[in-house]
Amino acid sequence: MLARYKPYLQLAPLTAVLLLFVAAPLVLVVVVSFFRSDGFDTIPAFTFENYHAILSSGLTASLYLKMIKYAAMTWAASLVIGFFVAYFLVFHVRNRNLAIGLFLVCTVPFWTSNVIRMISWMPVLAEQGVVNSALLKLGLIRVPLRILLFSDFSVVLAYVHLFTIFMIVPIFNSMSRIDRNLFEAALDAGASRLDTLRLVVLPLTKSGIVMGSIFVVTLVMGDFYVVKVMSGGGSASVVSAMYDNVSTLLFPPAAASAVILLLILTVLIAILTRFVDVRQELVQQP
Amino acid sequence: MNDETEPSVAPPQEADAAALSSGRRRLLKAAAATVGTALAGVPIAGFPQIMKRDFQGITLRHIGVSYAVQREIGEQASKDLGFKIEMQNLDTSASITRFVTQPSSVDIADMEGWQVKVAMARGLLQGIDSKKILEFDGILPIFTTGVYEGRKISRQGISPYEVMYTDGPEAKKIVEGQQQWLTFLPQVFNADSLGYRPDKVGREVSEWKDLIDPKFSGRAAILDIPNIGIMDAAQALESRGDLVYGNKGNMTRKEIDTTIDALIALKKKGHFRASWSTFEQSVELMASGEVFIQSMWSPAVTAVLEKGIPCVYAPVGIKPNGKEGYRGWCNGMSLMKHLSGKKLEAAYEYLNWYYSGWQGAYVARHGYYSPVPRTAKLQMTSAEFEYWYMGKPAAEIIKSDHGQPIGAVGSVRDGGSLAQRFSNIACWNTVMDENQYMVQRWNEFKAA
Amino acid sequence: MSDAEPIMRNSLSLPRSATAAASPPRAERAARVAGDVPRRAWTFYALAAFFSAYVLFLYGPMLCMYVLSFQGPQGALSFPMRGWSLHWFQQLWSGRTADLAGAISRSIPLALIVMAITVVFSVAAGLGFRRRVRGSSAIFYAVIVSLTAPGYILGIGIGLMFSLFGWQTSWFSSALGAHLSWTLPFGVLITFAVFGRFNGAYEEAARDLGASPSQTLRMVVLPILAPGIIAIALFGFTLSYDEFARTLQTTGPSNTVPIEIWSMTQNVTSPAIYALGTVTTAVSFLFIGTALAAVTLIQRRRAAAPRTH
């Protein structure tokens, strides 16, 4: 019966794209990661020297620590913001059209290219910028705050600015599927709003939160140009180091670095999905 | 104009400079007779009418960084030549990667001198026949002979002269000394130094060590392209007297360590406000006043001036003690190996067009130089040429390419004349033998 | 979707809601939270303020950008303002410094195509994953890998692969594929989240009532999944339009918008990019406003029309 093959057919398009545009290029990347680089040449070989160099280098550790720090801060901020924004939109806005409208208002900035939006933070955070001018005028500070720009603060700020939407959308999705009856029932039963939040809403939004976390963490760990621009070149990231290697055609080390990052992130996400066991929720009993 | 009109003399086996040169002069006279009217002050639209028919339908893809591969130049070339020039801008890293991994998708590769070295090592290019380049004689000797104003051009770093010649049309390797075949044709070049805000700094800057002067702590910036930024750092350290480098363009591990460690120490003290990797960033840093002194590109200084903000390009001529000096760079066009037939002919037309003057005048107004000033001269007013190339005081208000005034009457271009700048080159943009080690240590500086 | 009714708590009456009558009885809790103050006021306003703060945060830099895009020819990318004019909008369209108009004409169709394909492939895959078929684990992990692979390196890999096969990279072949490799993981993961709550009973009911599989799909499954599908479409479009790292080496002979802007900043400092941001925002708002107005109109008309069942 065709029904038996239906799942295969349904999975086929996705599989085709993954094979051609992910699996095949990655095979190339893995192969190159075992090559040797000599000056500007890439010599086919089979050597672990690239991996060895990366894994034994202190630079690698400090880069990863930095990115993990950024990722953690961005995750925390975007989670808090994303959760409460979604909560507001789902449970407090009465008119459905208004809710959708407000939601879309949140997404409009994302249709302006990220590069432009990053650059547009400069006039806000600069010494002569909006924030400093306002604070000076209000008399809250005497000297312009230079820490606003080209620092860890500006990097995380940019990350939160650019990536919170990826937390809002899955959480919004999860929340909007919560049966309102549960809400009412809990309140009928005497639970406070806070308890309802903790015991009803949070567990049911878990998958959305995990989804959003995966997105945000992946985006931050894989970034190379936000950190370059917003830190004023003051920080490097794992991927920006790869970028520098590629500039002088040092492909094997860059490839090895890419494979290592890939493995680390994949393991991390695999663990996260176990927490919620996303696929378990999905699979029906045959 | 092309090989068909060349006198039928068997091409010399060895590149005898004098003989070639006189042969070219004859050729040039003949060519000048046909296009003389076009070049001498009459709009360039009259450029090779005869060629337009032949090359209909051909598209040349010219790829490189946006300060060398400029859209307006491509449009003008398309108009004049009759075939399409498709330009694409990528940053330095992405373009060299593209040349290496997708060579057949590029026709004209625009590269810096040091990138030519890399590309040649990979066998990506074909040799350019210098005999087909009409204005070859007009190219400044900086490139063709490595001697300028009686002095040998600095060999620290990778000077264009040392990578320019190759052994034949196959372009198998780089060859020292003048040859018939070229690896690339320089199209735009300049000398970089420091830029600073005279209103904030309060005095003249003419030494690299001012970049790391503690007085400017928190107000300095350095270039974040590893293989170039490290040379600026080296210039500063040598200027301060920390050490003397053997070859700033090819450092030993020990020299790299000393340089990077000094940079890290400065960073920890908060000396650097930022490091920039795009032109736009450098202009913004200076224009907004976040930074008072930084490594800077000449056109960036022009851009800041356009906004009505004072900015000076520090004249860091070589001092009697041998210190200081500019950092030179040069971008040029190379032919990818796969070009042949009609496309190859079109490519030569395109290369020749670059030396015919319009492009030279255009880049001059941005603060760059063309390797063939004598044709650029024909496309500029004499006051402009005097200002930009000869370093003379402006006889009229000097306008930027967009019509913004950037030089008042009587002002002198920073760094003086072309001759002054280029007889004061300390080093050229480069990539080192210890490149991998250097990139790693540079990243440690960034991560510090 | 039932409206979120404000809950009034007072000591006299139980909270009421439109569906209270339908909810099953629950055991009483021991403690009752004190408060004659209507809870709504506090949390609603707090959250509304929070939301407004977020919108301000989002739009803050954008507002600076809008203002700065109206500068005169001496304009820079930061304050103070230098002059007032439409100069930079003119620069934008004239394409003098960069081919932004051309890049837009590539980025938008590409993003739309990527959006459509992502939705179809993701939903199909979601349906396919419902049965534990052989290889579905492998595909799932491939999806994760596609998400975590550093975009810049993957882009180089795709470009190299195309070159090895002798194919030409272009924005609707290699860039399309690269973008899909980026958007599909988002789409598939969202589908998981959405399907996870999907009650198969609806499908069974539809079948019992005699609907064919395609009818079930069209009239039962997809409408229920609609919010998720819209989320996937939104992500698909935005991710593709903003995609930079993977596209650098796969875009072929012409640049997409992010690459064009990035390359532009190598050479010029131009408020024309701010003008682009202003125009994009204006167009988006126009688009959303019209769409929402249309939807509201349709809904009103439907509500006004006499019902037949």
Side-chain angles (χ1 to χ4, degrees), chain B residues 307, chain C residues 66-76 78-88 271:
Chain B
K307 307 202 185 298
Chain C
Y66 304 149
V67 170
L68 287 170
S69 58
F70 285 101
Q71 284 182 99
Q74 281 203 325
S78 55
F79 290 109
M81 282 281 288
R82 295 176 184 89
W84 284 93
S85 77
L86 288 177
H87 175 90
W88 297 108

Coordinates of all heavy atoms in Angstrom, one line a residue, chain B residues 307, chain C residues 66-76 78-88 271:
Chain B
K307 N 32.8 65.3 5.4 CA 31.7 65.6 6.4 C 32.0 66.9 7.2 O 31.4 67.1 8.2 CB 31.6 64.4 7.4 CG 31.5 63.1 6.6 CD 30.9 62.0 7.4 CE 30.8 60.7 6.6 NZ 30.1 60.8 5.3
Chain C
Y66 N 16.2 56.1 11.1 CA 15.2 56.9 10.3 C 15.6 58.4 10.2 O 15.6 59.0 9.1 CB 13.8 56.8 10.8 CG 13.3 55.4 11.0 CD1 12.4 55.0 12.0 CD2 13.7 54.3 10.1 CE1 11.9 53.8 12.1 CE2 13.3 53.1 10.3 CZ 12.4 52.8 11.3 OH 11.9 51.5 11.5
V67 N 15.9 58.9 11.4 CA 16.3 60.3 11.4 C 17.5 60.6 10.6 O 17.5 61.5 9.8 CB 16.5 60.7 12.9 CG1 17.0 62.1 13.0 CG2 15.2 60.7 13.7
L68 N 18.5 59.8 10.8 CA 19.8 60.0 10.1 C 19.7 59.8 8.6 O 20.6 60.3 7.9 CB 20.9 59.1 10.7 CG 21.4 59.5 12.1 CD1 22.3 58.4 12.7 CD2 22.2 60.8 12.0
S69 N 18.7 59.1 8.2 CA 18.7 58.9 6.7 C 18.2 60.1 6.0 O 18.3 60.2 4.8 CB 17.7 57.7 6.4 OG 16.4 57.9 6.9
F70 N 17.7 61.1 6.7 CA 17.3 62.3 6.1 C 18.4 63.4 6.1 O 18.1 64.6 5.9 CB 16.0 62.8 6.7 CG 14.8 62.0 6.4 CD1 14.3 61.1 7.3 CD2 14.2 62.2 5.2 CE1 13.2 60.3 7.0 CE2 13.1 61.4 4.8 CZ 12.6 60.5 5.7
Q71 N 19.6 63.0 6.3 CA 20.7 64.0 6.3 C 21.0 64.5 5.0 O 20.6 64.0 3.9 CB 21.9 63.4 6.9 CG 21.9 63.2 8.4 CD 23.2 62.6 8.9 OE1 24.0 63.3 9.4 NE2 23.3 61.3 8.8
G72 N 21.7 65.6 5.0 CA 22.2 66.2 3.7 C 23.4 65.5 3.2 O 23.9 64.5 3.8
P73 N 24.0 66.0 2.2 CA 25.1 65.3 1.5 C 26.3 65.1 2.4 O 27.2 64.3 2.2 CB 25.5 66.2 0.4 CG 24.2 66.9 0.1 CD 23.5 67.1 1.4
Q74 N 26.4 65.9 3.5 CA 27.6 65.8 4.4 C 27.3 64.7 5.5 O 28.1 64.7 6.4 CB 27.9 67.1 5.0 CG 28.6 68.0 4.1 CD 29.4 69.1 4.9 OE1 29.0 69.5 5.9 NE2 30.6 69.4 4.4
G75 N 26.3 64.0 5.4 CA 25.9 63.2 6.5 C 26.8 62.0 6.8 O 27.4 61.5 5.9
A76 N 26.9 61.7 8.1 CA 27.7 60.5 8.5 C 26.8 59.5 9.0 O 25.6 59.6 9.0 CB 28.7 61.0 9.5
S78 N 26.6 58.7 12.2 CA 26.2 59.0 13.6 C 25.9 60.4 13.8 O 26.1 61.2 12.9 CB 27.3 58.5 14.5 OG 28.5 59.1 14.2
F79 N 25.4 60.8 14.9 CA 25.0 62.2 15.2 C 26.3 63.0 15.4 O 27.4 62.4 15.7 CB 24.2 62.2 16.5 CG 22.9 61.7 16.4 CD1 22.5 60.5 16.9 CD2 21.9 62.3 15.6 CE1 21.3 59.9 16.8 CE2 20.7 61.8 15.4 CZ 20.3 60.6 16.0
P80 N 26.3 64.3 15.2 CA 25.1 65.1 15.0 C 24.7 65.1 13.6 O 25.4 64.8 12.6 CB 25.7 66.5 15.4 CG 27.1 66.4 15.1 CD 27.5 65.0 15.4
M81 N 23.4 65.5 13.4 CA 22.8 65.6 12.1 C 23.5 66.7 11.3 O 23.9 67.7 11.8 CB 21.4 66.0 12.2 CG 20.4 64.9 12.6 SD 20.0 63.9 11.3 CE 18.9 64.9 10.3
R82 N 23.7 66.3 10.0 CA 24.3 67.3 9.1 C 23.4 67.6 8.0 O 23.4 66.9 7.0 CB 25.7 66.8 8.6 CG 26.7 66.7 9.7 CD 28.0 66.1 9.2 NE 28.9 65.9 10.3 CZ 28.9 64.8 11.0 NH1 28.1 63.8 10.7 NH2 29.8 64.6 12.0
G83 N 22.6 68.6 8.1 CA 21.7 68.9 7.0 C 20.4 68.1 6.9 O 20.3 67.1 7.6
W84 N 19.5 68.6 6.1 CA 18.3 67.8 5.9 C 18.1 67.7 4.4 O 18.1 68.7 3.7 CB 17.1 68.6 6.5 CG 17.0 68.5 8.0 CD1 17.5 69.4 8.9 CD2 16.3 67.5 8.7 NE1 17.2 69.0 10.1 CE2 16.4 67.8 10.1 CE3 15.6 66.3 8.3 CZ2 15.9 67.0 11.1 CZ3 15.0 65.6 9.4 CH2 15.2 65.9 10.7
S85 N 17.8 66.5 3.9 CA 17.5 66.4 2.5 C 17.1 65.0 2.2 O 17.2 64.1 3.1 CB 18.7 66.7 1.6 OG 19.6 65.7 1.6
L86 N 16.7 64.8 1.0 CA 16.4 63.4 0.5 C 17.6 62.8 -0.3 O 17.4 61.9 -1.0 CB 15.1 63.4 -0.4 CG 13.8 63.7 0.4 CD1 12.7 63.7 -0.6 CD2 13.6 62.6 1.4
H87 N 18.7 63.4 -0.1 CA 19.9 63.1 -0.9 C 20.2 61.6 -0.8 O 20.4 61.0 -1.9 CB 21.1 63.9 -0.3 CG 22.4 63.5 -1.0 ND1 22.9 64.1 -2.1 CD2 23.3 62.6 -0.7 CE1 24.0 63.6 -2.4 NE2 24.3 62.7 -1.6
W88 N 20.1 61.0 0.3 CA 20.6 59.6 0.5 C 19.5 58.6 -0.1 O 19.9 57.5 -0.6 CB 20.9 59.3 1.9 CG 22.0 60.1 2.4 CD1 22.0 61.1 3.3 CD2 23.4 60.0 1.9 NE1 23.2 61.7 3.4 CE2 24.1 61.0 2.6 CE3 24.0 59.2 1.1 CZ2 25.4 61.2 2.4 CZ3 25.4 59.4 0.9 CH2 26.1 60.4 1.5
P271 N 25.2 57.0 4.5 CA 23.8 56.9 5.1 C 22.8 56.3 4.1 O 21.6 56.2 4.5 CB 23.5 58.3 5.4 CG 24.8 59.0 5.6 CD 25.7 58.4 4.6

